[in-house]
Amino acid sequence: MATAPDTAAPTLIGSVQRALRLLEAVSSHSGGAPAKQLAREAGLPLPTAYHLLRTLAHEGYVRRENGVFVPGAAAERLADRCAVRNRRATLLESLNSWRDALGVPIYFAAYHEGEIELVAVADTPAAPAVEEWADFRETGHAHALGQCLLSQLDEASRSDHLDRHPVRPLTRYSVRDRCVLLRRLAAAERMQPVVERQEYALGTVCAAIPITAGSGVAAMAVSGPIHQQVRLLSAAETLRSEVGALLDSLAFSISI
């Protein structure tokens, strides 16, 4: 005789469900709400609501201010992490669209808290991204994204970065010293692509464009084999000319 499939409902923890309903009630009031109102909205007896609110307060998910309960630091951090994930997903969707349209890998990087952060990359097996064989954060002088970001910094911030991450050649084509790099950065034209040829990886050309939105410092880039540099530079120019249309989806990501 065949065994009937297991259709039993999953085991649910009632106290967790009740706590989550309370959190939802708390978050629905921008100015907070008293325990009695929260209990009513969550469908809980008042003593149960008080007990759960004390526990949530102890864990930092709510706090009591002037007789009402408002979201606590832990809940705010959780919401922030969810928002960051959503922003990154939206960003990657935009990069994927440009990757498919241009047929080259697309990169997005930002300068965050004194470091170069490669936020997202969209590539394919047929058009792979450059392998990070040397830490992008420490070798900004050698790749197009880093040079583009460094060119947007003020003099003090750029000097601080290069003090912490000194210029060193990675290939025979790399910039040789700090003075040469600074002259190159000073000569960079606003909103024009920054191009490096085989400075980070042999056989590769990269072009990056600055992303300007508020006080954030960010850049997008494309890369490809050195023998396809004409096609790559055309793709970078297309990206540069159309970047204004991307700012609605990219500007928020500068702060990721």
Side-chain angles (χ1 to χ4, degrees), residues 100-128:
D100 296 340
L102 298 175
V104 294
I106 308 288
Y107 309 76
F108 182 81
Y111 198 77
H112 182 61
E113 296 184 350
E115 297 294 349
I116 293 169
E117 180 184 355
L118 184 60
V119 177
V121 179
D123 65 349
T124 66

Side-chain angles (χ1 to χ4, degrees), residues 13-185:
I13 308 301
S15 59
V16 175
Q17 292 177 305
R18 291 188 288 272
L20 290 174
R21 291 205 300 271
L22 267 179
L23 275 177
E24 290 174 352
V26 171
S27 64
S28 68
H29 297 279
S30 59
K36 185 178 294 186
Q37 181 179 354
L38 295 171
R40 183 172 60 253
E41 293 177 0
L44 300 174
L46 186 56
T48 300
Y50 270 124
H51 176 72
L52 290 172
L53 286 168
R54 282 196 297 269
T55 302
L56 290 169
H58 177 76
E59 297 298 328
Y61 286 95
V62 302
R63 67 180 188 276
R64 190 169 186 176
E65 289 185 354
N66 302 319
V68 298
F69 289 91
V70 298
E76 292 168 354
R77 287 194 299 270
L78 185 62
D80 288 344
R81 286 194 290 269
C82 289
V84 167
R85 284 196 294 270
N86 290 337
R87 290 198 297 269
R88 287 179 183 263
T90 301
L91 170 63
L92 188 56
E93 183 179 347
S94 295
L95 297 188
N96 285 341
S97 296
W98 280 99
R99 175 203 64 196
D100 296 340
L102 298 175
V104 294
I106 308 288
Y107 309 76
F108 182 81
Y111 198 77
H112 182 61
E113 296 184 350
E115 297 294 349
I116 293 169
E117 180 184 355
L118 184 60
V119 177
V121 179
D123 65 349
T124 66
V130 176
E131 181 182 355
E132 187 178 353
W133 71 272
D135 193 328
F136 279 149
R137 294 170 300 178
E138 299 178 0
T139 57
H141 60 280
H143 51 76
L145 273 172
Q147 292 176 19
C148 190
L149 292 172
L150 291 173
S151 70
Q152 297 178 68
L153 299 180
D154 59 59
E155 184 175 348
S157 297
R158 184 162 51 242
S159 179
D160 172 71
H161 182 91
L162 296 176
D163 286 343
R164 291 181 289 109
H165 303 301
V167 175
R168 57 184 177 89
L170 301 184
T171 75
R172 63 181 180 273
Y173 301 99
S174 300
V175 63
R176 309 309 295 179
D177 58 51
R178 181 166 174 161
C179 291
V180 173
L181 175 68
L182 291 176
R183 285 198 296 271
R184 179 187 296 185
L185 297 180

